[in-house]
């Protein structure tokens, strides 16, 4: 049995590394499932059940899970990628390690672990206060982590606290709860979490307002950014709270309302989904052109949503023609940068497509998960773009 199991695991690993997860699952079911055994609804649930039924396969499971890790949607909603058995060899654990905590606090400012509770629900969040903060109004950047990540991991991986220390701004890192989604994925794909004053958008807006109330924040310079599922939720926040944020940064994410349930979420990650509400605020988008988790077409859909919603473009002249540059002075992987200007000549949208880049935060620290240290530096470019834009001050 062990030899057969080893061969099965090896065959399944080859299939998953080729991106053929459905075939790998069918192979596992055929060879190991047993006659009459009920199949779990999702591939990783299938794997978990099979491994429990055949514990002799655990030593080989590490390699198989490593293959699944590279092919499964990292930020797929719970139920599609959230059933994997944590703790087995080869599967990356969620963030929050001691090394990540050390890296997040290294810049020298203060990290506060806080909780917000309101009518829409409760979430914890980390807040980074730079040493240069002295009670005078400073910008605020709200950072939304991806699935399987937490605030500490995301802070370490993006190095945003280092930039906060350098430029003196506050950073808030809301955390998704395992009660809302056991894989810590923001529920960007659910209709109840895609609208203003309801669900997770209401919670995130409330956290933003809480920080603005408790600290000296420049209300004209409040920004939101996110990665993958967090990037998709940042798009939701930009579309539903244009009066709260001055600009948005979306890394490896999806457009608002690109999906409306689990099946359409899976499809949208590969084909961009359906057109949703536009983003009428300055927008910077990063995406790798080798991203097999969230396809690069989603970056195009995000820019299209920005162009469609903006009143700042000359409609009589047709769609705006972006200025395109390749590479330039920004170190790291080669990339294409497209800048879209309004009728006043101001850049109101940027799209960075990183050649050879996968599903990872570019220019990030390897201490955090899902990062590509080669760059270009997505965090630095987002902060630069953010600080080029302010918003009219509105009441909290």
């Amino acid at each position: 049995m062990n030899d057969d199991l080893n061969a099965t695991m090896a065959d399944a690993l080859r299939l998953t590394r080729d991106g053929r997860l459905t075939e790998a699952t069918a192979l596992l079911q055929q060879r190991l499932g047993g006659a009459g055994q009920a199949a779990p609804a999702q591939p990783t649930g299938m794997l978990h059940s099979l491994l429990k039924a055949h514990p002799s396969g655990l030593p080989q499971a590490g390699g198989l899970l490593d293959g699944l890790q590279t092919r499964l949607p990292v930020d797929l909603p719970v139920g599609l990628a959230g059933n994997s058995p944590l703790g087995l060899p080869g599967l990356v654990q969620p963030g929050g390690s001691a090394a990540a905590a050390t890296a997040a606090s290294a810049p020298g400012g203060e990290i506060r672990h806080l909780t917000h509770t309101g009518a829409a629900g409760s979430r914890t969040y980390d807040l980074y206060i730079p040493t240069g903060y002295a009670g005078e109004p400073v910008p605020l950047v709200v950072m939304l982590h991806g699935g399987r990540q937490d605030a500490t991991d995301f802070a370490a991986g993006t190095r945003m606290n280092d930039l906060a220390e350098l430029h003196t701004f506050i950073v808030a890192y809301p955390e998704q709860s395992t009660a809302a989604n056991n894989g810590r994925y923001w529920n960007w794909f659910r209709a109840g979490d895609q609208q203003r004053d309801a669900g997770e958008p209401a919670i995130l807006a409330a956290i933003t307002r809480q920080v603005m109330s408790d600290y000296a924040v420049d209300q004209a310079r409040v920004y939101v950014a996110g990665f993958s599922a967090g990037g998709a939720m940042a798009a939701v926040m930009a579309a539903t709270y244009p009066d709260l944020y001055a600009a948005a940064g979306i890394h490896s994410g999806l457009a608002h309302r690109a999906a409306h349930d689990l099946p359409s979420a899976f499809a949208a990650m590969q084909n961009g989904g359906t057109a949703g509400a536009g983003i009428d605020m300055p927008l910077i988008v990063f995406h790798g052109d080798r991203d097999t988790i969230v396809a690069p077409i989603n970056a195009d859909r995000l820019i299209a949503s920005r162009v469609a919603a903006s009143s700042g473009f000359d409609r009589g002249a047709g769609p705006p023609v972006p200025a395109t540059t390749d590479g330039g002075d920004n170190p790291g992987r080669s990339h294409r940068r497209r800048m879209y200007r309004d009728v006043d000549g101001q850049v109101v949208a940027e799209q960075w497509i990183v050649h050879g880049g996968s599903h990872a935060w570019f220019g990030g620290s390897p201490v955090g998960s899902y990062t590509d240290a080669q760059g270009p530096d997505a965090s630095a470019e987002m902060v630069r773009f953010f600080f080029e834009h302010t918003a009219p001050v509105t009441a909290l």
Side-chain angles (χ1 to χ4, degrees):
M1 176 62 186
N2 282 341
D3 290 342
D4 291 341
L5 186 58
N6 289 345
T8 296
M9 290 292 183
D11 290 343
L13 174 58
R14 282 192 291 271
L15 289 171
T16 55
R17 282 180 172 164
D18 290 339
R20 298 156 65 186
L21 177 59
T22 301
E23 295 176 52
T25 302
L27 176 68
L28 288 168
Q29 185 176 25
Q30 176 185 2
R31 295 190 186 177
L32 303 178
Q37 179 174 330
Q42 305 300 340
T44 50
M46 164 74 72
L47 177 62
H48 193 185
S49 297
L50 291 173
L51 290 176
K52 287 199 299 183
H54 302 276
S56 59
L58 289 176
Q60 292 77 33
L64 177 59
L65 286 169
D66 183 61
L68 288 170
Q69 160 95 25
T70 64
R71 305 306 306 181
L72 278 174
V74 175
D75 285 334
L76 203 58
V78 61
L80 291 180
N83 296 328
S84 298
L86 296 178
L88 293 177
L91 187 64
V92 173
Q93 297 286 344
S97 68
T102 299
S105 61
E110 180 183 358
I111 297 178
R112 300 178 183 176
H113 305 286
L114 305 169
T115 300
H116 172 82
T117 300
S122 176
R123 293 294 188 278
T124 60
Y125 62 100
D126 282 4
L127 199 68
Y128 183 81
I129 309 296
T131 57
Y133 175 75
E136 297 296 324
V138 298
L140 167 64
V141 177
V142 178
M143 296 285 287
L144 304 179
H145 64 75
R148 302 185 189 175
Q149 295 180 318
D150 60 16
T152 300
D153 177 36
F154 199 42
T158 61
R159 294 192 178 101
M160 192 58 76
N161 291 351
D162 296 80
L163 291 166
E165 192 69 15
L166 178 64
H167 299 291
T168 310
F169 60 90
I170 294 173
V171 193
Y173 298 92
E175 281 191 339
Q176 176 65 302
S177 71
T178 54
N181 188 300
N182 66 15
R184 290 190 183 275
Y185 310 101
W186 297 104
N187 292 305
W188 56 271
F189 55 92
R190 299 195 316 196
D193 294 301
Q194 294 177 336
Q195 54 190 310
R196 186 184 178 97
D197 298 331
E200 291 175 5
I203 297 172
L204 294 170
I207 289 174
T208 303
R209 292 185 175 117
Q210 186 68 56
V211 176
M212 295 170 69
S213 175
D214 293 345
Y215 300 87
V217 171
D218 183 345
Q219 295 183 32
R221 295 192 292 168
V222 179
Y223 311 97
V224 62
F227 170 70
S228 201
M233 186 53 74
V236 172
M237 298 307 294
T240 56
Y241 290 91
D243 54 330
L244 187 58
Y245 304 102
I250 300 174
H251 200 310
S252 309
L254 300 93
H256 179 222
R257 293 181 180 169
H260 57 274
D261 57 16
L262 289 174
S264 61
F266 187 59
M269 293 169 71
Q270 299 305 312
N271 63 26
T274 58
I279 296 176
D280 195 6
M281 70 171 60
L283 176 67
I284 181 169
V285 173
F286 273 81
H287 217 112
D289 66 3
R290 297 291 181 89
D291 190 337
T292 59
I293 306 304
V294 179
I297 189 175
N298 287 282
D300 295 332
R301 294 292 172 83
L302 281 161
I303 293 296
S305 75
R306 170 71 184 103
V307 172
S310 177
S311 59
F313 296 118
D314 183 0
R315 297 301 175 188
V321 178
T324 303
T325 60
D326 290 301
D329 296 331
N330 200 303
R333 295 182 180 275
S334 62
H335 55 273
R336 184 193 70 213
R337 176 189 180 193
R338 285 182 170 171
M339 295 169 285
Y340 295 77
R341 299 180 184 274
D342 62 13
V343 292
D344 297 323
Q346 183 179 28
V347 176
V348 294
E350 289 190 17
Q351 183 191 60
W352 292 66
I353 300 298
V354 181
H355 304 310
S358 61
H359 196 70
W361 188 279
F362 299 114
S365 167
V367 174
S369 62
Y370 308 116
T371 61
D372 183 338
Q374 292 190 54
D377 191 335
S379 294
E381 292 297 336
M382 284 188 183
V383 169
R384 184 267 308 160
F385 181 83
F386 289 164
F387 287 3
E388 291 174 354
H389 298 90
T390 59
V393 175
T394 58
L396 293 179

